[in-house]
Amino acid sequence: MTAINGVHDPTIIEHEGTFYLYSTDTQQPKTAGVPIRSSKDLIHWQLEKQALSEMPEPAVKWSKVQGLWAPEVIRYKDEFRMYYSASTFGSTTSFIGLATASDPLGPWEDQGEVVKTNATLAQHNAIDANIAFDRSGEQWFVYGSFFGGIYIAPLNKETGKLQEKSYGQRIAFRPKTVDTAIEGPFIYYHPETDYYYLFVSFDSLNDSYNIRVARAEEITGPYLDWHGTAMTDQEKTPTEVGTKLLGSYQFSEEPVVYAPGHNSIFTQSNKESFVVHHARRKPFSDQFHLQIRKLYWLESGWPVISASIYQRSVSRMPEQENLLGKWEIIQFDYESQIISSQQHEITELKKEGRSYLWEGNEFVPYYEYIDQKERLFFSGINDQGVAFLGRKVCEE
């Protein structure tokens, strides 16, 4: 994949054979109005324009911002809707607005406020919008960052704004002992399992960001992790709440993936689904870049994220005999340090549906196209409820 630098909080839509990428841009205020990039293959991207030529007046008046954050873009009927966030770092004086267009490139017309917060109005923070769809096709407004946690409220899908003047209900939050560090919510409904999956990012975007997931039978929750712990739980050790899917890691002879987070989920027209997120090239830097990874599903109904950045689809699936042998394995834990790969040998496996079981750990294998050749990987969740990644050792 061609490295796309300067991308933060990314989201992708597909329209008439072209993919469009919207994001926070780290070159603000020069690129304050939400940069739009396009691609035909999810690999090579071209910067097209800024969605908005100037900052929306209501957002500036409320939050005194110079740039917009964390856009969410959906299509409803013939209208494209962009939900943007306006805030400053560490503040709850925040504003989520709506802009609309008849084409993904615009022109975009600002439609004003969807929701706003400050320290007087609310304890939570109106940024990081996500529009979620329930099993009947109704739309829900999901948002929140640090402070009071993640909220959900019903959306009027005809207007694109809230059904009623309410902040909605809280579905996830973390205690002050970890600086209430939860943000970037994205809810994905998977019809095969009939569950809603809440993806969030934990900890500091500077160095310890990591992606967690929990699921619920109803879109409003309760959202439970692999252990059955609610995402609103305040009694359990905070680092152990939420099923960790991706954190900082390094395979041998590869650069470190630092602080992956603020993901969205994108399903293209051929039904392949991807996790779209940013990562850093080193901690505490502004060297953000885009990463796109395939989303896979375990037989147990939990999602897992590809161990490799997407370069091209590979249709064939591995045979069981190909899975035996030496692997480099990244075993995440509940903490936020960089995990380096360790070599293990797999000598025995048991197949269960689409998954394999190895020493009580469940995973799905797949090929990814890397450096112009296919390579074998797997992603799974271990018997402690934490993700692990594998890369087959090349024996040449």
Side-chain angles (χ1 to χ4, degrees):
M1 176 180 172
T2 303
I4 305 298
N5 295 319
V7 172
H8 201 273
D9 313 324
T11 189
I12 292 175
I13 64 169
E14 181 182 8
H15 179 61
E16 296 181 348
T18 299
F19 304 103
Y20 295 92
L21 167 68
Y22 306 82
S23 68
T24 304
D25 199 285
T26 57
Q27 298 180 46
Q28 294 179 6
K30 180 181 177 182
T31 53
V34 179
I36 306 174
R37 295 172 170 88
S38 68
S39 173
K40 291 292 186 180
D41 57 9
L42 294 175
I43 300 168
H44 304 93
W45 293 90
Q46 175 179 325
L47 180 62
E48 296 284 356
K49 60 187 295 187
Q50 303 306 118
L52 299 170
S53 59
E54 58 185 22
M55 293 292 295
E57 184 178 348
V60 173
K61 185 176 180 180
W62 181 258
S63 58
K64 308 297 189 293
V65 296
Q66 290 186 308
L68 301 177
W69 295 347
E72 162 79 326
V73 179
I74 67 165
R75 182 182 181 183
Y76 180 65
K77 296 181 178 178
D78 292 328
E79 182 176 75
F80 294 89
R81 295 173 175 173
M82 179 175 67
Y83 295 83
Y84 58 82
S85 298
S87 187
T88 53
F89 196 79
S91 170
T92 60
T93 302
S94 305
F95 181 104
I96 297 176
L98 170 65
T100 58
S102 59
D103 185 89
L105 291 176
W108 292 87
E109 181 179 352
D110 185 51
Q111 304 297 335
E113 175 191 337
V114 177
V115 66
K116 63 186 179 184
T117 55
N118 64 20
T120 301
L121 292 175
Q123 295 182 343
H124 65 292
N125 194 14
I127 66 171
D128 292 359
N130 162 238
I131 308 305
F133 296 80
D134 66 22
R135 59 175 65 89
S136 63
E138 296 303 311
Q139 297 180 16
W140 295 77
F141 186 72
V142 189
Y143 68 106
S145 170
F146 280 67
F147 301 98
I150 308 303
Y151 279 69
I152 187 169
L155 202 68
N156 183 325
K157 61 185 178 183
E158 299 305 323
T159 66
K161 296 191 176 183
L162 297 178
Q163 275 191 11
E164 52 193 47
K165 212 164 186 180
S166 166
Y167 285 125
Q169 67 183 82
R170 185 161 60 178
I171 56 174
F173 67 104
R174 301 185 75 200
K176 291 182 179 180
T177 55
V178 287
D179 297 324
T180 63
I182 182 173
E183 63 181 3
F186 193 97
I187 292 179
Y188 178 84
Y189 173 67
H190 190 45
E192 187 175 320
T193 64
D194 198 29
Y195 275 102
Y196 296 93
Y197 295 83
L198 171 64
F199 294 80
V200 292
S201 294
F202 274 17
D203 302 327
S204 169
L205 60 82
N206 288 311
D207 64 335
S208 56
Y209 235 21
N210 61 97
I211 297 173
R212 309 260 176 151
V213 71
R215 68 184 186 183
E217 295 179 354
E218 301 299 332
I219 197 167
T220 53
Y223 284 90
L224 309 179
D225 66 14
W226 187 90
H227 291 284
T229 304
M231 293 296 282
T232 53
D233 185 279
Q234 300 292 288
E235 301 299 324
K236 194 170 182 178
T237 303
T239 56
E240 297 180 6
V241 178
T243 302
K244 186 174 180 178
L245 295 183
L246 194 66
S248 300
Y249 72 92
Q250 182 178 30
F251 281 117
S252 65
E253 301 180 359
E254 295 288 342
V256 178
V257 175
Y258 285 108
H262 201 116
N263 77 280
S264 57
I265 307 294
F266 158 67
T267 302
Q268 63 176 344
S269 54
N270 68 2
K271 305 305 181 184
E272 281 189 310
S273 293
F274 298 86
V275 174
V276 184
H277 66 91
H278 69 253
R280 290 179 184 257
R281 299 200 182 280
K282 58 182 181 180
F284 293 93
S285 77
D286 289 332
Q287 298 180 28
F288 304 102
H289 61 288
L290 171 69
Q291 295 198 346
I292 300 173
R293 300 167 184 263
K294 289 190 71 173
L295 182 68
Y296 294 96
W297 293 90
L298 300 175
E299 186 66 25
S300 60
W302 286 96
V304 287
I305 299 173
S306 172
S308 175
I309 299 170
Y310 177 76
Q311 293 189 16
R312 193 176 81 183
S313 291
V314 180
S315 58
R316 73 185 182 107
M317 296 300 294
E319 299 293 335
Q320 183 166 340
E321 61 186 25
N322 301 131
L323 304 179
L324 303 178
K326 294 179 180 178
W327 288 79
E328 287 185 73
I329 293 179
I330 303 288
Q331 177 57 73
F332 292 114
D333 57 25
Y334 288 115
E335 303 305 320
S336 299
Q337 71 269 24
I338 300 165
I339 303 298
S340 298
S341 61
Q342 303 292 324
Q343 194 168 118
H344 296 263
E345 185 165 6
I346 295 178
T347 59
E348 188 175 354
L349 288 170
K350 179 182 178 182
K351 194 170 191 322
E352 287 197 359
R354 74 185 70 189
S355 294
Y356 287 88
L357 295 180
W358 168 56
E359 297 181 353
N361 307 305
E362 183 184 12
F363 70 84
V364 287
Y366 49 86
Y367 287 103
E368 293 278 10
Y369 196 75
I370 305 297
D371 298 329
Q372 300 185 349
K373 62 182 180 181
E374 293 179 4
R375 189 146 188 194
L376 187 54
F377 293 87
F378 65 61
S379 299
I381 295 178
N382 70 7
D383 58 2
Q384 300 299 308
V386 182
F388 65 107
L389 309 175
R391 184 177 73 174
K392 187 76 181 289
V393 174
C394 293
E395 298 177 348
E396 298 178 353

